[in-house]
Amino acid sequence: MKRLWLVSGLVFIALLFLGRIGQIAPHAALAWQATDVIRRNPTATTSPTPVPVVAGWRAQIVSNTSYATSGNGSIVRVHVLERVDEPITLTRYDTTLSTFSGTKPEYGPYAAEFAPVPAGRWAVSLPGLGASIEIETDGYNLVVVEFAPYMAAEATPTAQLSPTSTPFGGEPWEGRVLSVDEGPLQTGAILHVTVRGQTGHAVQVSTLAGFVAQSTTGVKEELGPYTAEFAPLTADRYTIAPAGLNTSIVLDLDRYTTVVVEFRPVSGWPRPTATPTNSPVPSTPTFTPSPTPTLAMQWVGAVLRHDRPSSGKVFTSIAVRVNGLPDLTVTLTSGDTAITCLTGEKPEYGDYACEFGGLSSGTYYITARGLTPVVPVMVGQGDFVLTEFRQEPVPPGQIIWQGRVVRNSSQPWPGTGVSSAIAVWVEGRRGQVVSLRSSGGWEAFCDTGTKPEYGDYACEFGGLWPGVYTVSPVDISAEVQVYMDGVGFAEIAFEPVLENASPTPIPTRLIGAGASPAGTRSTDEGAILTPTRTQTPTPVARVVTATSSRPRPAATITPTLTLTPTPTPALGWVGRVVQDDSGIGVGTIVVRVLGVKDQPVILRSGPWSIRGLTGSKPEYGEHAVEFGGLNGGDFDVELEGLGAVLPVHLQSGGFLLVEFRYDVLPTPTPTPRSGIWVGAVTSNTSGGAWSGAWSTVIVKIPGVDGLPVTLDSNGGFITTCITGTKPEHGPGACEVGGLWPATYRVIPEGLGPSVDVRLDGLGSATVEFWIQ
């Protein structure tokens, strides 16, 4: 019996052995045949070319084009090389879309397409080939993904790599886990991967189940130039592999942890090998790559969608997405009311979205904790708005924005309509919020990309009254002022330029003539006011009166302007007193600006001033404003922004009715004078914090017209005006507006004295010269 069991065991072992030989016999036979061929043909110098073996499939994002659609959904285009009818899936949460390769032959024989695709993070997968990749869609972009096979040789860790021209060519690298900490996310793990000394280096993480994600070092500025981030990740075993380093790390992630991994050269930092100076053979120069510049990023806010109400919809809602930042507090403010939500609560609008619902009509301001941008939104009943905070790279070099009026059909005088419109174009910024402010303080907003008839980055304001308007993109330091007559149309463009390529801005002042700056005629048919940057303030200088000196001979101050025989009459805002009543009562001044409603009017007397808006006193006309409770004395009535000032005298207890109309300016009569010239600052409203670019200097030299006057801010900015070109300020007057904060030296040509005046960017000063 024992012998029988022994024989059976031997037979079983023999069968196993024969089976093993059967499994390896084909390989052994091939090896033998190859050896036999070489032995029989000693002259053979090559072996048969091995057939490449596909080890697996990998994916990459070929391109990601922003704003490829109008916002009704993204497009995801997939190419599977050399494969037709291969199943492709697009998955996000519980949503799965399916198609087959080769179903979009217009884009290639192996192409497929998903469209429209809602915003969010999606996994593009080949279920039959075990490959996938994650992508981001925002409702506007076109993402092109390509799947390609890789050979077994590529997957073999010991495969020989040819030296490359990268800093790590031929240098062995190693990876290690630096730290494992708990939190802070409750929705998944955070993985930080550092590749020492490498900015812009691609890193890939993958799982055995086919999940693949890619990121690049240096994209998140707060992590430094050599680190990439993956978040949130589910609990799983991940393989982390930086591109081209021929090394990887496999680790298990818990969903409530933050893990930091570092890859570095085994020998420390790569160092060039020194070449002996006495070497008879010159060495081959070692390629030293220039360092990859760190890409600076900035946060911007934009409106991605603004849907008007559908039938039956009553409540308004605003959704907010902050790309890459879950569980972040977002605040919605309107007046004294503020409500908050946390990103990630509304995944139907993206992975990092939340929503404010049940809102009423009005203007709301959206902010995200720790981020600078503010997104204002005007909504009506039933509107839906999707806004986004995202990071964008900062272009190399110092970029500044400038605005210009492309065209303006408004006439210098007010029209009778309320249908003026302004189209605004902000280069390269779809969804950019643009602010429109009237001189009366009313404000409105529009979002670029909503008026394609003017371009891809345009929006429009309509139904505007006659008056002065300020247009400015939100969070961009540039603005333009323009006068609209109530029926005209203007187009304004904002463009970024390199600081060293930007021409020196020419300060101008809007005087209400559709677009005529003070003393000149604009070639753009619109006033250009573009405070694109703040100049470095010069030290504050004490305002002094220059030392008196003898004037030059009279011939040197003879007007230099040559008038044509039939000059065109100068037009401007002309003021006059149409009613002056004395009596015992309350001192009152009523100002009427014909044809302009909501026009700011300033009443001054020495350092005291008050401001009002036309249209607030209809009993004196629809364009009137009243100032009451005044003591008797001398006052200046100024139309803010229109460059018109009228001195008046109010008797004690009297009543004045002042009227301004757009008319032919009076011609001043020069008065010859002789003596020693002196100068002084006779009024100056500056004195606050330095801001803006709207300060004005009025220079008065009675009796001298046509004399050039130079304003010099210590060499930083120089401009001139010609006396006699602003008769509304008196004989021999000229004006320069749109000035930045600085101390300016006012120098009349040939008179001798000069005067320093400090401006804060908002105030107005008057400098006068006279013969003592």
Side-chain angles (χ1 to χ4, degrees), residues 61 63-79 90 97 104 106-107 112-120 122 124 135-145:
I61 298 175
S63 63
N64 188 350
T65 305
S66 300
Y67 305 115
T69 73
S70 58
N72 55 351
S74 295
I75 300 173
V76 178
R77 196 167 294 153
V78 184
H79 297 265
L90 188 66
L97 308 175
K104 293 292 284 186
E106 58 266 37
Y107 300 116
E113 186 175 87
F114 298 91
V117 178
W122 296 82
V124 186
I135 63 171
E136 289 276 355
T137 60
D138 58 11
Y140 290 88
N141 59 334
L142 165 63
V143 183
V144 179
V145 176

Side-chain angles (χ1 to χ4, degrees), residues 31-48:
W32 176 85
Q33 292 172 6
T35 305
D36 188 57
V37 169
I38 296 175
R39 286 176 179 175
R40 294 180 186 180
N41 300 281
T43 58
T45 58
T46 59
S47 59

Side-chain angles (χ1 to χ4, degrees), residues 91 98 124 150 297 312 320-321 351 357 400 439 534 582 610 722:
T91 306
S98 300
V124 186
Y150 62 91
M297 305 295 289
V320 184
R321 187 167 68 220
D351 287 346
I400 59 176
S439 54
T534 303
S582 60
I610 190 173
I722 305 297

Side-chain angles (χ1 to χ4, degrees), residues 358-710:
L359 304 175
S360 57
S361 303
T363 300
Y364 296 88
Y365 295 87
I366 307 168
T367 57
R369 187 186 64 194
L371 305 185
T372 302
V374 177
V375 180
V377 177
M378 291 184 66
V379 292
Q381 183 176 354
D383 286 5
F384 170 76
V385 177
L386 174 60
T387 63
E388 180 184 64
F389 294 89
R390 62 175 178 263
Q391 283 188 300
E392 290 185 355
V394 179
Q398 183 64 35
I399 297 296
I400 59 176
W401 285 81
Q402 65 180 13
R404 61 188 179 93
V405 178
V406 179
R407 58 192 178 102
N408 185 4
S409 65
S410 292
Q411 301 300 315
W413 49 88
T416 58
V418 291
S419 58
S420 275
I422 300 176
V424 185
W425 185 77
V426 184
E427 181 179 340
R429 290 293 185 92
R430 186 191 295 269
Q432 170 69 48
V433 181
V434 180
S435 165
L436 176 78
R437 299 187 307 275
S438 72
S439 54
W442 171 79
E443 187 172 22
F445 302 97
C446 71
D447 316 319
T448 59
T450 55
K451 295 296 285 186
E453 55 266 39
Y454 302 124
D456 292 338
Y457 310 112
C459 63
E460 185 180 35
F461 299 96
L464 303 179
W465 291 78
V468 179
Y469 294 90
T470 301
V471 183
S472 175
V474 175
D475 291 325
I476 290 179
S477 58
E479 64 180 32
V480 169
Q481 279 193 327
V482 63
Y483 175 81
M484 305 304 297
D485 61 4
V487 294
F489 172 78
E491 187 173 351
I492 297 174
F494 291 91
E495 300 156 319
V497 294
L498 287 172
E499 184 176 24
N500 56 8
S502 174
T504 303
I506 302 176
T508 59
R509 179 176 173 84
L510 186 72
I511 64 170
S516 299
T520 64
R521 178 69 61 184
S522 169
T523 58
D524 285 336
E525 300 183 12
I528 304 175
L529 295 174
T530 58
T532 57
R533 57 179 174 175
T534 303
Q535 286 188 330
T536 303
T538 55
V540 178
R542 181 173 60 91
V543 178
V544 297
T545 302
T547 305
S548 301
S549 61
R550 290 184 177 275
R552 293 185 178 186
T556 62
I557 58 173
T558 302
T560 57
L561 294 181
T562 303
L563 299 180
T564 58
T566 56
T568 302
L571 298 176
W573 289 93
V574 180
R576 62 191 182 99
V577 177
V578 297
Q579 185 177 344
D580 185 355
D581 297 334
S582 60
I584 301 175
V586 178
T588 303
I589 297 178
V590 174
V591 181
R592 190 163 58 204
V593 183
L594 298 183
V596 182
K597 190 177 181 181
D598 294 329
Q599 166 64 40
V601 178
I602 300 175
L603 186 68
R604 288 194 177 92
S605 180
W608 174 87
S609 66
I610 190 173
R611 185 175 183 268
L613 296 177
T614 59
S616 57
K617 200 66 176 175
E619 51 265 45
Y620 293 103
E622 61 175 335
H623 307 123
V625 59
E626 181 183 72
F627 303 96
L630 304 174
N631 296 322
D634 293 325
F635 295 87
D636 286 333
V637 183
E638 178 183 352
L639 303 187
E640 186 179 31
L642 300 184
V645 178
L646 179 68
V648 297
H649 178 77
L650 177 68
Q651 302 180 50
S652 179
F655 172 85
L656 286 180
L657 176 59
V658 178
E659 182 180 270
F660 286 86
R661 66 172 62 239
Y662 199 82
D663 206 340
V664 177
L665 296 172
T667 302
T669 303
T671 303
R673 309 183 70 176
S674 60
I676 298 175
W677 288 95
V678 294
V681 178
T682 56
S683 68
N684 191 356
T685 61
S686 292
W690 287 24
S691 63
W694 315 118
S695 279
T696 304
V697 172
I698 299 171
V699 181
K700 298 181 178 181
I701 309 179
V704 181
D705 288 345
L707 182 68
V709 179
T710 301

